[in-house]
Each structure stands twice: as structure tokens, then as C-alpha cells.
Amino acid sequence: MADVNFSTAAAAYAKGIGGAAQSGSVESQTRPDAANGVGGGFADLVNDALSAARNSGLKAEGDATKALQGDVSLHEVVTSVTSAEITLQTVVAMRDRVISAYND
């Protein structure tokens, strides 16, 4: 097994996270009208919530990686992770409401 330097591994992970964050949202890549802000409705609301959850999670992961490298304080990491958790809980609550409305 190869000996891996911790800072090299953390830098590679950070680079991977940065590439994922720069790729943009799935909706703007597949729907030309999404990038122009055209449309609206429930589907866009759900897509926006999912994008916010994804971006919040990516920011939390990026901050955690930066903290391992010593670039970000622990306080900022906790704030980012808490924000990601709240955003995910909101998306799950929306999902539960949609399922409940569908079942009714």
C-alpha cells in the first residue's frame, strides 16, 4: 500500500469538491429556460430547494476540508454543517408534505 501524505490527500479532496461546485446546477445544464429564470411553479421550487441543499452540503464539505488544512476555523465549519443540516431537514419536510398531499 502506498504511503499517502495527509495534506496531499486533503488537497486532492478539496480540488474534487471545487470541481463539483463549479459544474453548476443540473437544471441549468439540462433546461435552457432555467438559466434565464423563465418558468416557475412547483417543480422549480423543488429544484431550487434541492440545489440549495446540494450547494450547502458542498460548502460544508469544502469548509471541513479547509479546516483540516488549517485555512478555516472550527466555528465556520460548525456553522456550515449546521446550515447544511437545516437545509436538508427542510427538503425532507417538503418531501414528506408532497407525499402526504399525494396520498390524500
Side-chain angles (χ1 to χ4, degrees):
M1 183 169 204
D3 185 29
V4 178
N5 184 340
F6 175 75
S7 58
T8 304
Y13 182 75
K15 182 178 177 185
I17 293 297
Q22 292 174 356
S23 67
S25 69
V26 174
E27 295 82 27
S28 64
Q29 293 174 5
T30 58
R31 286 186 21 223
D33 61 335
N36 298 330
V38 176
F42 183 73
D44 288 335
L45 176 70
V46 172
N47 283 333
D48 290 345
L50 291 174
S51 293
R54 177 182 173 269
N55 292 338
S56 183
L58 288 173
K59 182 180 182 327
E61 286 184 22
D63 285 351
T65 302
K66 289 177 185 176
L68 292 173
Q69 296 173 339
D71 296 336
V72 174
S73 71
L74 183 60
H75 180 265
E76 292 178 48
V77 173
V78 170
T79 302
S80 294
V81 170
T82 302
S83 175
E85 182 180 4
I86 291 170
T87 304
L88 182 60
Q89 288 174 354
T90 302
V91 170
V92 169
M94 285 177 55
R95 180 206 61 191
D96 292 345
R97 295 278 177 135
V98 168
I99 291 171
S100 175
Y102 178 76
N103 288 333
D104 290 343

